Amino acid sequence: MNRQSSLSTQDFLAHSVVRSGDPSWLNTLRQSASDRFLGLPGRKTEQWKYTAVAAQSVRATADDADTFEPRVPQPLIDTDAKVVLINGDVSEMPGENRDGLCVKPLAAALQEADQPLVDLLESLPIDGRQHAFSQLNTAALGQGLYIHVAAGIDAGELLLQWPCGAEEMNHARICVVLETGARLHLVEQFENGSQHPAKLNLVEQIELGEGAELFHSRLQHYPAESLLIGRTEVRHGTSTRYSFTGMDLGAGLARHDVRSEFAGEGAGCSLNAAVLGSGDAHVDYHFEADHQAMNCQSGQLFRAVAGDRSKIVFNGRVHVAPGADGSDSQQSSAGLLLSRKAEIDAKPELEILADEVVAAHGATVGQLDQAAMFYLRSRGISEEQGRKMLTLAFCRSVIDRVPHEALHESLAMRLTTAMDELESGHE
Amino acid sequence: MSTESGTIEKRLGQKYRHGFVTDIDADTVPPGLSEDVIALISAKKNEPQWLLDWRLEAYRHWLTMEQPDWARLDIEPIDFQAISYFSAPKSDKDRPQSLDEVDPKLLETYDKLGVPLHERARLAGVAVDAVFDSVSVGTTFKKELARAGVIFCSFSEAVEEHPDLVRQYLGSVVPQRDNFFAALNSAVFTDGSFVFIPRGVRCPMELSTYFRINALNTGQFERTLIIAEAGSHVSYLEGCTAPMRDENQLHAAVVELVALESANIKYSTVQNWYPGDEEGKGGIYNFVTKRGMCKEADSRISWTQVETGSAITWKYPSCILRGENSVGEFYSVALTNNYQQADTGTKMIHIGKNTRSTIISKGISAGRGQNAYRGLVKVLPTAANARNFTQCDSMLIGKHCGAHTFPYIEVKNPTAKVEHEATTSRIGEDQLFYCLQRGISEEDAVSMIVDGFCKQVFRELPMEFAVEAKALLEVSLEGAVG
Amino acid sequence: MLKIKELHASVEGKEILKGLDLEVNAGEVHAIMGPNGSGKSTLGNVIAGREGYEVTRGEVAYQGKNLLELEPEERACEGVFLAFQYPVEIPGVNNTYFLRAALNAQRKHRGEEPLDSVGFLRLVRERLEVLHIGDELLHRAVNEGFSGGEKKRNEIFQMAVLEPKLAILDETDSGLDIDALKAVAEGVNQLRSPERAIILVTHYQRLLEYIKPDRVHVLSEGRIVASGGPELALKLEEQGYTWLEDGGIAELEQAAV
């Protein structure tokens, strides 16, 4: 990521973002995002310090599809509740919605303009350059999905597949509303059926009504040179739960911002990710637990294995607002460097403004446990195999958070395969 | 356990004990900063041309820089043209040659501060280079040090007596352009301390300096340079106090340490400059650049700091671990009370093979204090087998304060091992209750617990200082829990 | 089977073994006793090939091969097994998976077909039964959260599955209560066979009440200072290790003749 941002605002937002025929509130939203765009973040923007964005790979939004032959990969799990979004556009919907689960293309939902959806879209926090991609996303608002789960419904699994490969960057938005006591497991597969690189800028907004629970599992295995910018904003009502588990095995640049904001008391989140960096991949995770209400609990778990020339970044932030007593936050991040050309950067932050708080974090970067390695070898297991076993075990604590057994298996297998494919392994 | 905030605040209202002003006719340059002022400072100090050029180069670069805003600090804008950049006691030309010639009022000042220069220095075997505002006025034990070959003098004196050494090392660890405040310091620094320990010499005593900011609206720009040649050892102690003032006073010092092969430098600071009043009015801005270079193999630099004063503290004593097997250490206690803010920590830059670093940071926040640890551990590709261990604990006393941790870990060598641990919690209620149940008063219990919390750092301080640091912490914390 | 000659080894630059000689034949059980710091654990680790244990002089021949030239896993595949004094916890690695990987690596080395999971489970269950160990440890991660006794039993269980030719039990008795000790000893006794050599490294004579050694060696300051039959262990127990320094060695040597 040595290339400097060189494109100006005009390059991104050269065309008018207003679309005739769309409701005026929507065009106002697009236009104001476009007006406030300050350019892409560079090293000076703290949240992008370790991920200076290459502007060249990010172009203005365009509606026109192009030569990319979409090939949809094997679905990660077997389910009839499956949506395929090609270049951010819905191309395949579930034949029939389950009771209480409503999934519709965002474009249609925007025309209907349900109040909860409009509120959600208008509430997305935007902060200068830090959220430059969100601004681009809002300026291009139109693609994506609206997912709604009615009160008290357990909607099971919903799989989203994201084959993507247009020349231009695609901007997609997923809005998820879980009503009181609702439950959903959102599974996302960022993968192409071919080696065509993806360019996707995704914003997800999740609203959890009282007692609602969302599991969110994500596999990112885009081809090399792909660009994925993903931002997930979760607003927690009282006693809600959000569990995120991400696994990254590919991409040129993948950036995930996942933020849980506790607006209601007694809520909890568990943010987990495992990254295996190979080739020239650059994967950057930003987790944030924002404790605004009392008695909320947050956990963050991050495991990074950096091989080849990869660079893995973890920024885990915990913020406890004044008065948010009873907050409990734990964070653990660990990195393994396998190669002399790889790099791991970690920034586990705590910002605590209330006193009845338990907050702790631990971060390590190093090698596999040598005692464990000798133990394996002393039983006849080769160094190579031992390294694989221990590296898998290292990531296991993250994958084990996935509640769905078949998905769990599938992720574990993917990880093993990816490990086998590491170009250089160790040096 | 009741922790009524009203009681806390009332009892936290501890008056600053070192608040008084010494009435000395100061030779002060009118406020303002320009190339002329810099030339004037340089001329007043009889500096050689190269040093003036060096200052001007720094100044010209400073003009192109912006005051950084990345720290978690709320800083009132500083008017750099309203600061006077030079203030020396009246008799500049015929400065006192020994302590006997020092203005008795000055010595009285030190007495009030609890630094009886004569007795204490002699009794404790401490050589004290007292900095009163900007010019060094008295140095003790010079002869004994000279016998060992140790040079310990004011920076100005070093410029005159040892220009080659100064020229060789000045700016070699903190370049003129390093950062906004270091550039400012490089342009306008007035005095400071210079230490040179020759090859193989173990400095026969602890070296100590007392800083004191006295004149109204006088920024103090200290420059300290310590060079430890191969195989030498030195322990340097720095204590700072400033009188009570309503206006904020800027202190932007630069400290450079150079450790050559197998040299060992221990640098200890107890800082209790005026923190401002209960409303957050006044107090010192303590914006300091401290950095040590473990230049050659097997060298070691150890920073220990106890920061209880200043309205705003912004400092990161750091180590550049260039030499193979070199060791960097940082032990810190930072306490913020009332409206004090601190953003402090360290940088450990691992360059050489088998370099090791340890960071122990203890932050205590009370009142409306904001206390941030900010640290960088960077392992470059060349630093095979580098090791770092960081432990960073914060304690909160009261409902309106904040404790923050911002560690940066950057690792580019697969044989390195970096470990970071951090915790934040309020003062242990069960510990407090346990003490109370055994009949220990609440205040004693708090200071006992806080002392225990800081023990790992205190035991790194030289004995003399450890006692003082502990007492200082107790004073600053009196009644922190009601 | 094992021939150690004039072995010198050091850890972090400090010489621990200072000219150790030992010969163990197939079918024999040898006990090596000695006070703390005499080099008992070092011997086991050197034979198993642990990094950081540097052999500065001497030879270790195993079945006619120079053992010191082999990687730790090659030694294991050749039939050398070390039961660790402190078995390592490996979170995230399932015990069964681990053991199967080890067994199949060793089988591959011997040119045998790998065992499939059915065959492997059959073998494992059979061994568990013989050793009177429940199968719950199969489902857990390697040694993770195991009690001291469970860890030691797991070592013996692994030994039973891997069927080594030379087993070194490094203070397998330490930290065990009497029931666990008996169970471990019983396991070891069942594994005695004419093809297998066992070296028991221990501080106390206690273990030897349950496992009868053929030979007892006394290790002191990095050397074997006396060798004899089981009665040597009793003598040592009676007199205590401090007695060694007070001229006891000479006495022992006479007793051993």
Side-chain angles (χ1 to χ4, degrees):
Chain A
M1 298 307 305
N2 299 322
R3 289 165 289 180
Q4 289 292 309
S5 307
S6 63
L7 297 185
S8 69
T9 310
Q10 274 73 26
D11 293 306
F12 290 103
L13 299 160
H15 320 287
S16 169
V17 296
V18 171
R19 298 183 200 174
S20 57
D22 275 355
S24 68
W25 67 269
L26 180 55
N27 276 328
T28 308
L29 194 64
R30 287 173 181 148
Q31 187 61 53
S32 79
S34 164
D35 292 346
R36 281 178 300 157
F37 183 74
L38 297 168
L40 294 179
R43 287 185 193 285
K44 293 260 162 106
T45 304
E46 184 63 25
Q47 294 82 359
W48 293 80
K49 181 179 166 68
Y50 295 112
T51 303
V53 183
Q56 283 85 346
S57 51
V58 189
R59 291 279 166 73
T61 171
D63 293 332
D64 51 292
D66 70 317
T67 54
F68 169 58
E69 290 284 327
R71 229 184 294 158
V72 184
Q74 272 298 319
L76 201 52
I77 51 167
D78 188 22
T79 173
D80 51 354
K82 183 178 80 173
V83 182
V84 179
L85 298 105
I86 295 175
N87 293 333
D89 264 333
V90 178
S91 88
E92 187 189 328
M93 290 283 286
E96 206 174 303
N97 272 336
R98 290 182 196 147
D99 276 349
L101 170 67
C102 169
V103 182
K104 59 174 83 161
L106 190 67
L110 287 173
Q111 298 302 325
E112 291 165 18
D114 278 353
Q115 201 54 46
L117 176 63
V118 176
D119 290 346
L120 195 58
L121 289 170
E122 287 180 342
S123 70
L124 181 69
I126 295 286
D127 179 24
R129 275 180 212 270
Q130 183 195 343
H131 294 133
F133 285 100
S134 297
Q135 277 164 298
L136 292 174
N137 189 288
T138 300
L141 198 60
Q143 292 176 306
L145 282 181
Y146 177 48
I147 300 164
H148 181 271
V149 183
I153 296 290
D154 182 347
E157 283 75 37
L158 175 67
L159 173 67
L160 309 187
Q161 290 187 287
W162 292 94
C164 183
E167 280 303 306
E168 312 273 308
M169 189 171 204
N170 292 110
H171 303 275
R173 179 81 52 113
I174 301 289
C175 292
V176 182
V177 176
L178 263 58
E179 301 288 357
T180 306
R183 208 163 172 274
L184 177 70
H185 183 183
L186 187 65
V187 181
E188 291 184 285
Q189 184 175 6
F190 295 90
E191 196 171 19
N192 279 348
S194 68
Q195 285 308 302
H196 203 94
K199 279 177 198 153
L200 181 62
N201 173 21
L202 174 66
V203 174
E204 300 184 324
Q205 293 181 264
I206 295 165
E207 177 87 28
L208 299 179
E210 192 179 334
E213 184 169 24
L214 181 71
F215 288 97
H216 191 176
S217 306
R218 186 180 268 187
L219 167 74
Q220 184 277 113
H221 199 168
Y222 273 144
E225 299 188 15
S226 294
L227 174 71
L228 170 67
I229 307 284
R231 176 180 177 202
T232 304
E233 284 281 332
V234 185
R235 205 158 61 188
H236 284 258
T238 308
S239 304
T240 50
R241 291 277 172 280
Y242 175 68
S243 273
F244 175 92
T245 306
M247 186 169 92
D248 286 67
L249 306 174
L253 169 63
R255 161 80 178 225
H256 306 264
D257 285 76
V258 182
R259 178 169 172 269
S260 260
E261 182 187 324
F262 298 126
E265 290 186 19
C269 74
S270 166
L271 310 178
N272 316 287
V275 179
L276 177 69
S278 61
D280 291 293
H282 177 141
V283 180
D284 181 342
Y285 263 93
H286 272 56
F287 280 159
E288 179 175 345
D290 190 355
H291 291 250
Q292 295 287 343
M294 286 170 58
N295 302 317
C296 293
Q297 187 269 328
S298 66
Q300 302 182 14
L301 181 69
F302 187 76
R303 294 290 178 265
V305 179
D308 299 337
R309 298 159 305 280
S310 65
K311 175 168 168 174
I312 300 175
V313 181
F314 173 66
N315 189 313
R317 182 168 186 262
V318 173
H319 176 251
V320 178
D325 285 340
S327 292
D328 182 330
S329 98
Q330 305 292 327
Q331 190 190 93
S332 150
S333 69
L336 288 179
L337 270 174
L338 300 184
S339 138
R340 270 176 294 181
K341 300 260 168 63
E343 175 177 347
I344 293 178
D345 301 311
K347 195 180 163 210
E349 300 176 51
L350 298 172
E351 212 168 346
I352 313 286
L353 292 147
D355 73 332
E356 283 178 40
V357 166
V358 180
H361 65 219
T364 61
V365 179
Q367 306 82 42
L368 291 171
D369 180 3
Q370 286 311 303
M373 182 61 96
F374 176 66
Y375 192 73
L376 295 180
R377 292 177 72 189
S378 80
R379 296 294 178 258
I381 293 167
S382 73
E383 201 172 353
E384 192 55 42
Q385 195 186 356
R387 185 177 288 111
K388 269 181 203 155
M389 281 170 78
L390 292 179
T391 311
L392 274 175
F394 177 78
C395 297
R396 193 118 212 156
S397 49
V398 169
I399 302 174
D400 285 349
R401 306 282 167 113
V402 170
H404 187 276
E405 203 170 322
L407 176 60
H408 177 269
E409 282 303 298
S410 173
L411 291 177
M413 237 159 65
R414 297 292 195 110
L415 184 64
T416 312
T417 312
M419 206 110 62
D420 288 339
E421 284 168 359
L422 261 189
E423 274 175 37
S424 55
H426 54 100
E427 270 178 61
Chain B
M1 189 81 265
S2 78
T3 48
E4 297 284 309
S5 56
T7 334
I8 296 174
E9 269 138 35
K10 197 167 81 223
R11 297 178 71 183
L12 276 172
Q14 177 72 26
K15 287 279 182 295
Y16 185 65
R17 283 189 179 161
H18 295 153
F20 49 84
V21 176
T22 308
D23 184 19
I24 287 186
D25 229 347
D27 176 6
T28 303
V29 168
L33 182 55
S34 65
E35 294 201 0
D36 288 346
V37 169
I38 291 166
L40 185 67
I41 293 171
S42 189
K44 265 180 178 292
K45 304 178 74 65
N46 296 316
E47 285 179 357
Q49 184 63 37
W50 69 263
L51 190 50
L52 174 60
D53 293 343
W54 195 82
R55 286 175 179 276
L56 290 173
E57 202 185 309
Y59 174 69
R60 284 167 197 149
H61 186 73
W62 178 76
L63 288 174
T64 69
M65 299 173 93
E66 275 177 34
Q67 189 178 327
D69 60 358
W70 43 259
R72 200 190 181 287
L73 297 171
D74 199 359
I75 305 169
E76 292 282 309
I78 301 168
D79 181 356
F80 291 96
Q81 293 303 333
I83 295 170
S84 167
Y85 288 87
F86 188 76
S87 162
K90 189 182 170 187
S91 45
D92 190 358
K93 271 173 201 147
D94 39 6
R95 258 182 294 172
Q97 299 306 304
S98 73
L99 276 179
D100 304 336
E101 295 172 38
V102 168
D103 190 330
K105 220 162 195 168
L106 237 184
L107 294 179
E108 208 181 294
T109 305
Y110 290 120
D111 269 350
K112 284 192 209 167
L113 276 174
V115 192
L117 204 50
H118 278 298
E119 274 66 34
R120 189 163 143 185
R122 202 164 294 154
L123 285 174
V126 170
V128 177
D129 176 22
V131 173
F132 186 83
D133 283 353
S134 309
V135 174
S136 174
V137 289
T139 304
T140 49
F141 288 102
K142 239 178 178 170
K143 282 178 191 157
E144 273 125 293
L145 291 171
R147 219 174 297 139
V150 172
I151 303 169
F152 178 37
C153 62
S154 75
F155 202 91
S156 326
E157 204 179 320
V159 171
E160 284 177 41
E161 307 284 327
H162 314 283
D164 294 344
L165 280 176
V166 173
R167 197 167 181 178
Q168 184 184 349
Y169 289 106
L170 178 68
S172 69
V173 184
V174 180
Q176 288 144 291
R177 301 171 165 217
D178 190 78
N179 67 71
F180 184 81
F181 292 107
L184 180 63
N185 175 288
S186 299
V188 303
F189 72 87
T190 40
D191 215 329
S193 299
F194 178 84
V195 177
F196 178 81
I197 317 287
R199 175 179 282 269
V201 169
R202 185 176 281 268
C203 186
M205 63 195 71
E206 312 260 1
L207 303 179
S208 171
T209 303
Y210 271 78
F211 292 102
R212 193 164 150 73
I213 302 176
N214 203 51
L216 185 69
N217 282 347
T218 305
Q220 188 158 358
F221 301 93
E222 299 294 331
R223 188 101 200 173
T224 300
L225 178 55
I226 299 178
I227 301 147
E229 283 204 325
S232 68
H233 282 243
V234 60
S235 169
Y236 186 89
L237 287 65
E238 167 195 67
C240 328
T241 52
M244 188 184 295
R245 287 291 182 199
D246 282 348
E247 298 300 319
N248 292 306
Q249 283 180 306
L250 175 63
H251 179 90
V254 171
V255 176
E256 294 179 278
L257 313 181
V258 181
L260 302 183
E261 194 181 332
S262 303
N264 196 320
I265 302 177
K266 187 172 177 61
Y267 195 105
S268 313
T269 304
V270 172
Q271 184 265 112
N272 66 327
W273 271 325
Y274 181 51
D277 65 12
E278 294 84 349
E279 263 75 60
K281 197 158 181 274
I284 300 293
Y285 284 2
N286 185 26
F287 300 165
V288 179
T289 305
K290 290 183 168 174
R291 194 176 302 155
M293 167 89 80
C294 284
K295 202 168 174 176
E296 295 178 0
D298 303 308
S299 53
R300 179 191 207 102
I301 288 177
S302 178
W303 298 99
T304 307
Q305 62 174 26
V306 176
E307 304 279 329
T308 62
S310 295
I312 304 179
T313 297
W314 181 351
K315 61 179 278 200
Y316 314 92
S318 304
C319 297
I320 300 171
L321 304 171
R322 188 177 286 284
E324 290 186 9
N325 311 316
S326 60
V327 176
E329 293 170 326
F330 176 73
Y331 300 94
S332 169
V333 167
L335 177 127
T336 54
N337 198 352
N338 295 319
Y339 282 85
Q340 278 177 278
Q341 306 176 62
D343 195 301
T344 183
T346 184
K347 292 187 209 174
M348 293 290 173
I349 314 293
H350 292 259
I351 300 171
K353 283 181 194 149
N354 304 318
T355 46
R356 282 171 292 147
S357 63
T358 303
I359 299 171
I360 307 288
S361 164
K362 304 284 177 176
I364 301 141
S365 309
R368 291 177 183 278
Q370 297 292 331
N371 204 325
Y373 166 82
R374 187 182 303 275
L376 168 67
V377 174
K378 185 170 191 154
V379 178
L380 294 168
T382 46
N385 297 315
R387 294 283 177 273
N388 163 266
F389 175 75
T390 301
Q391 188 188 336
C392 191
D393 298 315
S394 304
M395 184 185 275
L396 293 148
I397 305 175
K399 291 231 163 282
H400 305 291
C401 51
H404 319 295
T405 314
F406 304 108
Y408 295 72
I409 301 164
E410 305 177 13
V411 186
K412 297 188 186 182
N413 187 296
T415 58
K417 219 174 242 174
V418 176
E419 284 177 80
H420 173 98
E421 289 170 12
T423 62
T424 303
S425 57
R426 70 188 295 188
I427 188 160
E429 282 185 50
D430 8 343
Q431 293 171 327
L432 265 181
F433 179 69
Y434 190 81
C435 295
L436 295 180
Q437 208 286 320
R438 295 291 181 267
I440 297 162
S441 80
E442 196 158 21
E443 284 197 354
D444 287 350
V446 169
S447 66
M448 209 184 273
I449 292 165
V450 170
D451 184 47
F453 180 71
C454 300
K455 188 122 267 162
Q456 264 174 298
V457 174
F458 285 167
R459 67 166 175 236
E460 295 299 323
L461 285 170
M463 255 281 274
E464 275 271 308
F465 256 29
V467 175
E468 193 178 328
K470 198 178 154 188
L472 206 61
L473 216 62
E474 271 168 32
V475 168
S476 310
L477 270 172
E478 262 169 37
V481 172
Chain C
M1 177 178 289
L2 181 71
K3 245 186 210 162
I4 301 177
K5 259 200 233 154
E6 268 295 296
L7 183 66
H8 290 253
S10 44
V11 179
E12 286 172 2
K14 188 173 178 249
E15 186 165 67
I16 309 283
L17 298 183
K18 303 166 181 169
L20 182 140
D21 295 292
L22 181 67
E23 195 170 338
V24 181
N25 297 315
E28 292 178 354
V29 174
H30 287 233
I32 295 180
M33 301 183 69
N36 290 328
S38 59
K40 299 193 301 289
S41 286
T42 301
L43 178 62
N45 280 311
V46 165
I47 294 174
R50 185 170 209 142
E51 213 173 302
Y53 289 78
E54 201 194 343
V55 174
T56 51
R57 204 138 56 88
E59 291 169 22
V60 179
Y62 167 75
Q63 295 192 313
K65 288 192 184 115
N66 179 1
L67 194 66
L68 301 177
E69 276 179 352
L70 304 179
E71 293 295 324
E73 60 269 32
E74 291 170 336
R75 301 180 194 200
C77 288
E78 290 289 338
V80 176
F81 180 93
L82 173 67
F84 285 54
Q85 186 183 0
Y86 305 107
V88 183
E89 297 195 12
I90 314 180
V93 174
N94 176 277
N95 215 7
T96 311
Y97 172 68
F98 158 72
L99 197 50
R100 192 173 150 211
L103 180 65
N104 280 337
Q106 299 196 11
R107 290 176 68 98
K108 190 177 170 195
H109 181 84
R110 295 194 294 260
E112 296 166 17
E113 286 296 308
L115 271 190
D116 61 12
S117 52
V118 178
F120 177 72
L121 269 178
R122 197 181 304 130
L123 171 71
V124 158
R125 299 220 178 275
E126 188 192 306
R127 293 292 190 269
L128 283 174
E129 209 166 303
V130 171
L131 296 172
H132 309 295
I133 302 177
D135 64 357
E136 72 284 346
L137 64 81
L138 294 178
H139 309 297
R140 292 157 71 180
V142 180
N143 293 323
E144 192 188 24
F146 284 27
S147 71
E150 283 176 318
K151 282 182 182 169
K152 297 295 172 77
R153 264 197 233 195
N154 193 25
E155 295 291 288
I156 301 303
F157 165 60
Q158 289 178 21
M159 178 167 114
V161 172
L162 297 173
E163 300 180 292
K165 295 195 183 90
L166 171 67
I168 304 138
L169 278 59
D170 188 4
E171 306 224 8
T172 301
D173 52 333
S174 67
L176 296 186
D177 62 28
I178 195 72
D179 289 338
L181 181 72
K182 276 186 188 167
V184 164
E186 196 191 322
V188 174
N189 283 329
Q190 290 185 0
L191 293 165
R192 284 180 89 145
S193 92
E195 293 82 42
R196 184 170 292 138
I198 297 176
I199 300 174
L200 305 169
V201 174
T202 181
H203 187 84
Y204 303 104
Q205 191 267 338
R206 202 171 61 147
L207 180 68
L208 308 183
E209 286 173 17
Y210 302 97
I211 308 173
K212 271 269 164 282
D214 300 303
R215 298 284 288 166
V216 174
H217 309 275
V218 179
L219 189 62
S220 174
E221 293 179 4
R223 301 179 57 215
I224 303 263
V225 292
S227 300
E231 70 289 347
L232 184 55
L234 288 170
K235 178 91 180 166
L236 206 57
E237 182 84 354
E238 210 173 281
Q239 305 283 352
Y241 285 114
T242 47
W243 167 72
L244 279 178
E245 287 127 44
D246 311 331
I249 293 174
E251 213 177 302
L252 270 179
E253 275 166 350
Q254 283 172 358
V257 173

